[in-house]
């Protein structure tokens, strides 16, 4: 086989997962835009609850048609529990944060999720990170501290104290994602991804239902807010989950993880174009520091020579 033919085959094989990667980054980047729009009228908990409820209604028929009903029933305790940490709590925390900080800033902090995943895996599975990864963790959290040290990315009139709580909420959401990743590995190994995704959204819906009803806004939210949550539930959660698991299948977990680098780029762009959010030089510098830390802490980039392979 000629080199040209091999290159063409390689390109045609790579292209589908690259398209999925970019599309997933665009969808998850948009989720911060829609969360901010929704939370402004619904409030944090109702926004998160409506999001997961719509996602569950979207995913459940697909899962049933594909014969995943028995898997959801068999593993309902684990999937529902994972849903609390994978969707319920982090979505609510991000919505709370977006009442104070801009969508782009929240998305930049969200890029620390792989670092929290590494820390939780270290604590849970005793997977001690290498020297490069430890350096990456330090660099990444330094970038977060840089972001939190200034008022860049705040809503008009927001206080520095409120900003601090917003950053803490974002970091709490990232920690929840890290816990859910290890919990999925520990308790849901071998379970079909679609069943896990659907069960997790059902669990998150049940978890948020009563608080959302209690805190439901007295005034009916506008059509704009409802459309934002519809897009958030269907596109940014339901469709995004399908793309994410297909990306893992086609490209592997390591490549799928690189979507973390794309999400803040799209979120900053959407926030600037559609919400008039400002992008300061300090935010960009901090984002670069965080991305460098994530790249090292996840093993995408390593310090020193590459290990030799047989």
């Amino acid at each position: 086989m000629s080199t040209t033919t091999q290159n063409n085959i390689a390109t045609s094989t790579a292209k589908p997962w690259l398209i999925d990667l970019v599309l997933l980054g665009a969808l998850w980047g948009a989720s911060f835009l829609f969360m901010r729009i929704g939370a402004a009228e619904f409030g944090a908990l109702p926004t998160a609850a409506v999001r997961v409820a719509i996602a569950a209604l979207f995913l459940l028929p697909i899962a049933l048609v594909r014969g995943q009903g028995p898997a959801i029933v068999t593993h309902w305790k684990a999937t529902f529990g994972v849903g609390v940490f994978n969707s319920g709590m982090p979505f609510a925390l991000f919505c709370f944060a977006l009442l104070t900080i801009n969508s782009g800033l929240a998305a930049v902090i969200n890029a620390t999720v792989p670092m929290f995943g590494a820390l939780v895996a270290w604590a849970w599975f005793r997977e001690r990170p290498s020297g490069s990864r430890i350096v990456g963790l330090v660099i990444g959290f330094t970038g977060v501290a840089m972001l939190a040290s200034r008022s860049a990315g705040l809503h008009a009139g927001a206080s520095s104290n409120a900003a601090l709580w917003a950053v803490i909420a974002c970091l709490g959401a990232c920690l929840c994602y890290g816990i859910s990743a290890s919990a999925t590995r520990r308790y849901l190994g071998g379970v079909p991804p679609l069943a896990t995704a659907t069960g997790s959204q059902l669990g998150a819906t049940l978890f948020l239902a009563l608080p959302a009803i209690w805190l439901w806004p007295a005034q009916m939210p506008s059509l704009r807010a409802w459309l934002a949550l519809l897009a958030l539930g269907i596109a940014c959660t339901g469709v995004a989950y399908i793309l994410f698991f297909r990306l893992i299948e086609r490209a592997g977990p390591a490549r799928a993880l690189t979507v973390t680098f794309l999400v803040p780029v799209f979120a900053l762009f959407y926030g600037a174009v559609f919400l008039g959010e400002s992008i300061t030089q300090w935010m960009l510098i901090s984002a670069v520091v965080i991305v460098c830390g994530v790249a090292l802490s996840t093993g995408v980039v390593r310090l020193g020579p590459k290990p030799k392979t047989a």
Side-chain angles (χ1 to χ4, degrees):
M1 184 181 295
S2 67
T3 303
T4 303
T5 304
Q6 289 177 337
N7 290 338
N8 289 338
I9 292 175
T11 301
S12 63
T13 303
K15 188 176 180 180
W17 73 261
L18 284 173
I19 293 173
D20 284 352
L21 183 73
V22 174
L23 185 55
L24 182 60
L27 288 174
W28 276 347
S31 69
F32 292 90
L33 167 71
F34 293 132
M35 279 192 289
R36 181 180 168 186
I37 294 173
E41 297 190 38
F42 280 89
L45 282 170
T47 297
V50 173
R51 174 181 183 176
V52 294
I54 292 174
L57 290 173
F58 175 79
L59 288 168
L60 186 58
I62 298 174
L64 294 177
V65 168
R66 295 188 178 182
Q68 301 299 316
I72 295 173
V73 173
T74 301
H75 302 282
W76 72 270
K77 289 183 179 179
T79 57
F80 280 25
V82 165
V84 172
F85 288 96
N86 188 57
S87 299
M89 290 178 64
F91 290 174
L93 288 168
F94 271 123
C95 287
F96 167 78
L98 287 165
L99 294 172
T100 303
I101 63 176
N102 290 344
S103 58
L105 177 56
V108 170
I109 299 175
N110 181 68
T112 63
V113 167
M115 297 194 303
F116 279 100
L119 284 174
V120 173
W122 185 4
W124 197 331
F125 298 104
R126 305 302 179 192
E127 293 181 349
R128 179 178 172 81
S130 63
S132 290
R133 295 193 173 193
I134 292 175
V135 171
L137 291 170
V138 173
I139 292 174
F141 287 115
T142 299
V144 174
M146 290 169 60
L147 273 178
S149 67
R150 297 196 181 182
S151 59
L154 300 188
H155 294 184
S159 66
S160 57
N161 188 50
L164 177 61
W165 281 112
V167 171
I168 291 173
C170 289
L171 292 175
C174 295
L175 176 60
C176 288
Y177 285 136
I179 293 172
S180 72
S182 287
T184 300
R185 173 182 171 185
R186 174 65 177 82
Y187 299 109
L188 292 171
V191 178
L194 182 58
T196 300
T198 305
S200 68
Q201 297 310 297
L202 290 169
T205 301
L206 293 175
F207 172 72
L208 292 172
L210 288 179
I213 293 172
W214 180 262
L215 296 172
W216 194 261
Q219 183 176 353
M220 177 61 67
S222 67
L223 177 61
R224 178 174 180 259
W226 277 107
L227 290 176
L229 292 197
L230 192 64
L232 187 61
I234 294 176
C236 301
T237 309
V239 174
Y241 263 117
I242 295 173
L243 283 174
F244 180 62
F245 290 124
R246 189 169 72 179
L247 184 61
I248 292 177
E249 181 181 353
R250 289 180 172 182
R255 283 176 174 168
L257 194 65
T258 59
V259 72
T260 310
F261 304 129
L262 294 177
V263 172
V265 176
F266 281 104
L268 287 168
F269 173 77
Y270 295 144
V273 172
F274 296 108
L275 297 177
E277 296 179 351
S278 60
I279 302 174
T280 66
Q281 184 179 14
W282 186 252
M283 287 175 61
L284 294 177
I285 293 173
S286 301
V288 170
V289 173
I290 290 173
V291 167
C292 289
V294 171
L296 283 168
S297 65
T298 58
V300 174
V301 176
R302 292 181 175 86
L303 297 176
K306 282 186 176 182
K308 294 182 179 180
T309 56

